[in-house]
Amino acid sequence: DLLGIDDGKAIKVCKILQVRFFTALSLLIHFAQEGVLSKNQAVTCAQTLAKRGRYAKQDLELALDEIGGAAK
């Protein structure tokens, strides 16, 4: 089983309980690397998450680096 989650406290609980999880950013990176999304589509999605979500700037920059897009 795999849990999709972005809440920081819930992520900590998952780690403690050894529950496998993924975040929106990790899923976005995976989709870009596997070709499910083009690089441009993935960068656009990351930029949308930056505007609408509560992500640390460094997490977004890391995701964009993994995708291959420039941080904005």
Side-chain angles (χ1 to χ4, degrees):
D1 294 331
L2 191 60
L3 178 64
I5 193 160
D6 275 337
D7 179 74
K9 290 180 182 179
I11 288 171
K12 289 178 184 177
V13 171
C14 285
K15 289 178 180 179
I16 291 168
L17 298 176
Q18 298 181 348
V19 173
R20 291 179 29 172
F21 67 93
F22 66 91
T23 65
L25 289 176
S26 66
L27 185 63
L28 185 61
I29 292 166
H30 177 74
F31 280 177
Q33 291 174 340
E34 294 296 317
V36 176
L37 293 175
S38 71
K39 176 182 165 182
N40 289 337
Q41 289 173 315
V43 168
T44 299
C45 289
Q47 290 169 341
T48 300
L49 287 173
K51 291 177 186 173
R52 298 185 182 190
R54 291 182 170 181
Y55 299 96
K57 185 177 179 179
Q58 74 181 49
D59 291 341
L60 289 163
E61 289 172 353
L62 178 64
L64 286 169
D65 286 345
E66 290 281 331
I67 292 167
K72 298 205 177 192

